[in-house]
């Protein structure tokens, strides 16, 4: 999706379209007053006070129609500059504009307004020359928005829209939005009963429903088994710790704004953990280590709590409570490159299994100017960043560098992906850390008998289960491969009276092979049940009637196909077991 804000020409056009919207609204609702109408990544919006009126679904086409009419009239858009006094006088009946003007400093801002026909708006500009140029636009949605984003203020009406230079571009964008809507994990999550949210629990704290929980469980078992085969040791540690733990690690100074506030208990001060590193440092510290024991890979499917802004939380993608596929790998300085490279290889192999292809590697570096976030040890940072570059170059991996994205404790390699609705976020991450082992005074005994400080690699391959599943839902558009699908086989008896017993018998047989299966024994028509099975994106639908019962076979329909195949139950089980093992994508 194009970032409209970053394209200068489109940005001007969209801003002009916001004015056109305001003018049309003023025609239809003469009492309307306007707050701000900025351009955003995916178009523009305008926040409007309609007095005691509010926008409804039917209003958007009417406003659009009025916008088209004004555009056809083709008035010029004319800029005037004015003094603060003139501006205050001109907008004296408009408390919103007075609020904006009052805060302007005449000495360093030129106050200007733009007039098109009968409508004038306070605006910095620039704009297109005539309203005629604003032709290919669409109003997309509306919502309530508190004035200045403060819940204590009045709720204004926010109308969103988008504008392009050509009809094709607009149509292409609308088709993209339609596809994004269909793919959106929040929509599919609801339809397939994967997860839900409830205001009583709070924003950013989704509830995994049984179907979603199955996907989560399969994912977590998969990654844990893989890690065990690669020499990881898994632990369980509490999701809570003392403030002192986080003071020791440095999170208290560098990560506090992402943490839930302190809980005071008797003489203790406790916090919910935002990260697991401090706990894992202490697991390492619990015993003595020789250089021969390293690398030590401590893994945990660990629960973390982060205070994400309520406006930023989104379905399963950005949450406040999460289950992280975390591990901290303790290495000698000589082992850094090999172990980091192993982690990158692991990421690539996991992505192959899930058929994840659309991603980029971001080398997240510190901002040397940001002395507050990053501890001041230039040599350490340069060395750590160079090591990561070397690993990537040796592995011949394309990447881009981003300054200021490093963790406070060290540089990171992040795998960046985009959600259906165009949010960019990090899926996997692998981070190098020379700081925390020092702060926790961790040691190992080196070959010469001296005590040395290990280096730590922090890594999350399948991210958090929340984020990874949100990505998978959108990646597969809800059509999960067999091994991940909550329901793998749906059995429909042609006639309950004659075939239900056989259906239940097949169900039992499949269950004994760990296949997730259900029998649809509702008194509905066969065609209806088949259609529903397709809508639910069940990988295999079995239709069992006389033929199947008499020959002790099954007939199946594979998701996405129209034909039915008849095979023996043994062959069917072999087929499924093979697909689960191979993680076949279809
Ligand atoms: C990898 N200490 C490291 C850990 O050892 C750490 O916590 N890194 S992190 O902050 O980058 O988080 C790891 C991963 O969790 C991120 O790459 C991202 O994929 C996922 N994640 C982070 N915040 C959220 C969130 N609010 N909701 C869902 N997933 C998140
Ligand atoms: Zn960590």
């Amino acid at each position: 999706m194009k970032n409209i804000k970053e394209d200068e020409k489109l940005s001007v056009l969209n801003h002009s379209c916001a004015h056109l919207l305001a003018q049309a609204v003023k025609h239809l609702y003469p009492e309307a007053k306007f707050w701000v109408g900025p351009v955003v990544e995916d178009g523009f919006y305008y926040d409007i006070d309609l007095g005691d009126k509010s926008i409804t679904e039917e209003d958007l086409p009417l406003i659009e129609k009025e916008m088209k009419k004004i555009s056809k009239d083709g008035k010029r858009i004319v800029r005037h500059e004015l003094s603060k006094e003139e501006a205050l006088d001109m907008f004296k009946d408009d408390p919103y504009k007075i609020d904006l003007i009052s805060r302007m400093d005449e000495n360093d801002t030129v106050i200007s307004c733009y007039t098109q026909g009968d409508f004038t708006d306070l605006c910095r500009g620039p704009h297109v020359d005539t309203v005629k140029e604003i032709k290919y636009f669409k109003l997309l949605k509306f919502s309530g928005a508190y004035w200045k984003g403060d819940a204590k203020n009045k709720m204004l009406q926010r109308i969103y829209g988008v504008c392009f230079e050509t009809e094709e571009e607009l149509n292409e964008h609308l088709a993209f939005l339609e596809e994004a809507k269909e793919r959106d994990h929040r929509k599919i999550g609801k339809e397939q009963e994967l997860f839900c949210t409830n205001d009583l629990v709070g924003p950013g704290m989704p509830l995994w429903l049984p179907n979603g929980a199955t996907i989560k469980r399969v994912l977590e078992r998969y990654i844990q088994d893989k890690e065990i085969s690669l020499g990881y040791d898994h632990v369980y540690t509490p999701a809570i710790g003392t403030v002192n733990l986080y003071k020791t690690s440095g999170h208290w100074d560098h990560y506090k704004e992402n943490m839930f506030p302190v809980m005071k208990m008797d003489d203790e001060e406790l916090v919910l953990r935002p990260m697991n590193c401090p706990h894992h440092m202490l697991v390492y510290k619990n015993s003595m280590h020789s250089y021969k024991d390293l690398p030590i890979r401590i893994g945990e499917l660990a629960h973390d709590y982060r205070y994400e802004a309520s406006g930023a939380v989104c379905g399963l993608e950005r949450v406040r409570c999460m289950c992280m596929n975390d591990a901290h790998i303790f290495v000698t300085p000589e082992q850094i490159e090999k172990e980091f490279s192993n982690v990158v290889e692991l990421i690539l192999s996991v992505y192959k299994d899930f058929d994840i292809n659309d991603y980029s590697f971001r080398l997240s570096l510190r901002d040397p100017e940001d002395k507050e976030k990053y501890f001041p040890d230039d040599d350490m940072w340069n060395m750590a960043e160079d090591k990561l570059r070397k690993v990537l170059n040796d592995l011949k991996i394309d990447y881009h560098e981003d300054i200021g994205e490093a963790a406070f404790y060290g540089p990171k390699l992040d795998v960046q992906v985009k959600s259906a609705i165009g949010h960019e976020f990090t899926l996997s991450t692998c981070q190098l850390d020379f700081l925390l082992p020092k702060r926790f005074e961790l040691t190992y005994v080196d070959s010469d008998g001296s005590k040395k400080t290990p280096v730590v690699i922090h890594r999350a391959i399948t991210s958090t289960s929340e984020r990874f599943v949100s990505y998978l839902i959108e990646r597969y558009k809800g059509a999960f491969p067999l091994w991940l699908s909550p329901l793998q086989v749906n059995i429909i008896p042609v006639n309950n009276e004659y075939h239900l017993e056989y259906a239940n018998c097949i169900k039992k047989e499949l269950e004994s092979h760990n296949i997730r299966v259900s029998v649809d024994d509702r008194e509905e028509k066969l065609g209806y049940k088949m259609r529903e099975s397709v809508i639910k994106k069940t990988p295999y639908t079995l239709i069992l009637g006389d033929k199947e019962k008499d020959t002790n076979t099954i007939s199946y329909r594979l998701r996405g196909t129209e034909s039915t195949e008849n095979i023996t139950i043994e062959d069917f089980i072999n087929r499924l077991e093979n697909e689960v093992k191979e993680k076949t994508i279809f």
Side-chain angles (χ1 to χ4, degrees):
M1 192 180 64
K2 210 167 200 167
N3 186 330
I4 287 171
K5 215 172 162 182
E6 278 175 6
D7 181 321
E8 217 173 300
K9 222 169 154 197
L10 264 185
S11 175
V12 169
L13 185 63
N14 274 268
H15 191 189
S16 299
C17 197
H19 278 226
L20 183 65
L21 161 66
Q23 185 176 12
V25 169
K26 189 81 187 162
H27 286 181
L28 299 173
Y29 306 86
E31 68 284 15
K33 296 213 162 21
F34 302 93
W35 173 231
V36 288
V39 175
V40 285
E41 253 177 50
D42 49 358
F44 65 86
Y45 67 78
Y46 217 126
D47 281 352
I48 307 168
D49 181 350
L50 289 178
D52 51 9
K53 296 218 171 64
S54 52
I55 298 278
T56 64
E57 206 62 66
E58 295 86 60
D59 294 326
L60 293 189
L62 297 178
I63 300 171
E64 246 176 36
K65 205 169 152 203
E66 184 62 23
M67 287 167 76
K68 294 238 154 79
K69 202 169 124 206
I70 302 169
S71 164
K72 259 208 189 119
D73 273 357
K75 292 277 188 302
R76 282 181 57 73
I77 304 176
V78 187
R79 175 185 168 94
H80 304 279
E81 289 180 7
L82 50 173
S83 69
K84 188 164 178 174
E85 200 183 328
E86 286 167 331
L88 285 168
D89 185 53
M90 183 164 190
F91 291 99
K92 62 176 179 301
D93 298 327
D94 186 335
Y96 295 105
K97 299 297 170 192
I98 295 289
D99 184 276
L100 289 173
I101 299 164
S102 314
R103 283 184 286 122
M104 286 177 181
D105 180 354
E106 238 178 334
N107 299 320
D108 56 35
T109 2
V110 179
I111 304 179
S112 55
C113 63
Y114 283 78
T115 301
Q116 50 201 56
D118 57 4
F119 181 74
T120 296
D121 202 355
L122 181 76
C123 182
R124 199 185 298 130
H127 282 285
V128 295
D129 295 333
T130 78
V131 288
K132 213 186 236 156
E133 292 171 54
I134 317 164
K135 253 174 135 167
Y136 305 109
F137 54 81
K138 179 95 192 140
L139 297 183
L140 297 168
K141 56 177 180 180
F142 59 92
S143 68
Y146 291 111
W147 184 42
K148 295 184 179 176
D150 186 339
K152 287 195 234 64
N153 288 340
K154 182 167 187 186
M155 175 84 86
L156 305 179
Q157 312 272 302
R158 178 172 293 181
I159 303 179
Y160 293 85
V162 70
C163 184
F164 284 93
E165 285 176 292
T166 65
E167 195 168 7
E168 286 100 76
E169 277 176 294
L170 175 64
N171 287 340
E172 214 174 273
H173 184 77
L174 295 179
F176 169 84
L177 291 182
E178 208 41 53
E179 167 71 12
K181 220 195 271 166
E182 289 305 307
R183 215 172 253 281
D184 191 322
H185 79 277
R186 292 167 296 183
K187 178 171 186 276
I188 295 173
K190 206 176 205 173
E191 286 166 357
Q192 298 194 1
E193 297 183 83
L194 303 177
F195 69 97
C196 69
T197 50
N198 191 304
D199 289 345
L200 269 181
V201 183
M205 291 183 270
L207 310 178
W208 289 95
L209 301 173
N211 289 342
T214 301
I215 300 173
K216 182 176 187 288
R217 187 177 63 246
V218 175
L219 166 69
E220 290 172 357
R221 284 183 180 166
Y222 158 84
I223 193 65
Q224 219 169 24
D225 286 350
K226 205 160 175 96
E227 287 170 351
I228 289 167
S229 76
L230 293 169
Y232 284 72
D233 295 312
H234 290 94
V235 296
Y236 296 102
T237 59
I240 197 164
T242 66
V243 168
N244 278 340
L245 177 64
Y246 289 94
K247 282 190 178 158
T248 308
S249 67
H251 285 86
W252 193 249
D253 286 336
H254 297 282
Y255 207 74
K256 200 163 147 214
E257 66 281 9
N258 294 78
M259 293 166 70
F260 281 93
V262 176
M263 291 169 271
K264 282 202 190 335
M265 295 264 298
D266 305 323
D267 298 334
E268 287 169 307
E269 287 194 317
L270 299 168
V271 281
L272 285 171
R273 70 174 170 195
M275 290 195 191
N276 319 302
C277 343
H279 291 81
H280 289 185
M281 301 290 144
L282 296 179
V283 169
Y284 178 90
K285 205 174 174 172
N286 182 55
S287 43
M288 296 272 290
H289 302 286
S290 143
Y291 72 99
K292 286 190 205 145
D293 307 329
L294 271 44
I296 289 175
R297 307 177 184 91
I298 296 175
E300 183 174 1
L301 286 163
H303 292 103
D304 293 308
Y305 299 83
R306 293 186 182 177
Y307 185 76
E308 301 279 1
S310 60
V313 296
C314 172
L316 291 176
E317 179 185 307
R318 185 172 295 280
V319 293
R320 286 177 170 176
C321 89
M322 59 202 88
C323 179
M324 194 182 293
N325 162 230
D326 202 2
H328 295 91
I329 309 179
F330 298 79
V331 293
T332 66
E334 299 73 40
Q335 291 170 333
I336 294 174
E337 282 165 35
K338 175 83 182 72
E339 195 59 25
F340 205 92
S341 167
N342 285 346
V343 173
V344 178
E345 305 264 13
L346 175 58
I347 293 175
L348 295 175
S349 107
V350 167
Y351 282 23
K352 203 158 163 246
D353 281 342
F354 288 94
D355 200 34
I356 297 175
N357 310 308
D358 199 4
Y359 58 88
S360 66
F361 282 104
R362 176 180 80 181
L363 185 56
S364 302
L365 308 172
R366 68 155 170 173
D367 175 0
E369 304 299 317
D370 190 344
K371 305 277 186 232
E372 216 171 286
K373 179 166 177 193
Y374 301 114
F375 66 97
D377 181 343
D378 286 346
D379 289 348
M380 190 290 312
W381 279 99
N382 291 336
M383 192 252 289
E385 293 178 356
D386 281 347
K387 278 217 186 292
L388 297 201
R389 280 194 193 95
K390 180 162 184 317
V391 171
L392 292 173
N393 292 336
D394 286 353
L395 286 171
K396 298 197 172 34
I397 279 179
D398 276 341
Y399 62 92
H400 61 280
E401 300 195 356
D402 214 334
I403 290 173
E405 290 292 340
F408 75 86
Y409 45 74
K412 309 188 283 177
L413 175 67
D414 292 321
V415 182
Q416 298 301 106
V417 293
K418 269 196 177 160
S419 72
I421 54 169
H423 292 164
E424 182 181 323
F425 56 81
T426 301
L427 205 55
S428 311
T429 185
C430 185
Q431 315 169 350
L432 197 52
D433 175 8
F434 289 80
L435 182 66
L436 265 59
K438 273 201 198 117
R439 296 186 72 125
F440 281 93
E441 299 175 340
L442 305 184
T443 57
Y444 64 92
V445 180
D446 208 354
S447 52
D448 60 2
S450 65
K451 277 194 172 172
K452 296 260 172 69
T453 310
V455 179
V456 169
I457 295 172
H458 306 234
R459 40 106 295 172
I461 310 298
T462 53
S463 173
T464 53
S465 300
E466 288 71 17
R467 182 167 288 186
F468 207 75
V469 171
S470 85
Y471 185 75
L472 293 182
I473 296 171
E474 298 187 355
R475 161 69 190 82
Y476 305 130
K477 215 173 163 184
F480 292 96
L482 188 74
W483 73 289
L484 285 168
S485 196
L487 180 66
Q488 296 172 312
V489 177
N490 181 30
I491 304 178
I492 307 178
V494 173
N495 183 322
N496 275 350
E497 198 179 331
Y498 305 116
H499 312 121
L500 184 56
E501 202 184 321
Y502 184 58
N504 281 327
C505 199
I506 297 290
K507 175 172 182 264
K508 251 200 180 137
E509 179 69 17
L510 293 176
E511 277 173 345
S512 74
H513 287 83
N514 294 319
I515 293 162
R516 297 184 288 272
V517 52
S518 69
V519 172
D520 188 346
D521 56 5
R522 291 172 303 165
E523 294 296 338
E524 299 283 357
K525 292 224 166 68
L526 180 65
Y528 175 84
K529 292 190 196 179
M530 298 267 290
R531 267 195 306 282
E532 209 173 77
S533 208
V534 169
I535 290 169
K536 284 192 169 160
K537 303 195 173 159
T538 317
Y540 285 92
T541 303
L542 302 195
I543 300 111
L544 304 183
D546 283 342
K547 182 174 100 187
E548 290 75 17
K549 189 177 156 188
D550 294 345
T551 54
N552 209 13
T553 60
I554 59 106
S555 293
Y556 71 83
R557 188 174 283 193
L558 182 63
R559 182 180 63 210
T561 63
E562 293 291 325
S563 60
T564 312
E565 302 288 327
N566 181 256
I567 56 173
T568 64
I569 181 79
E570 293 75 28
D571 284 350
F572 184 59
I573 289 171
N574 278 341
R575 185 188 166 109
L576 296 193
E577 286 184 334
N578 196 43
E579 268 184 24
V580 168
K581 191 164 140 252
E582 298 296 324
K583 304 184 174 56
T584 311
I585 301 285
F586 61 92

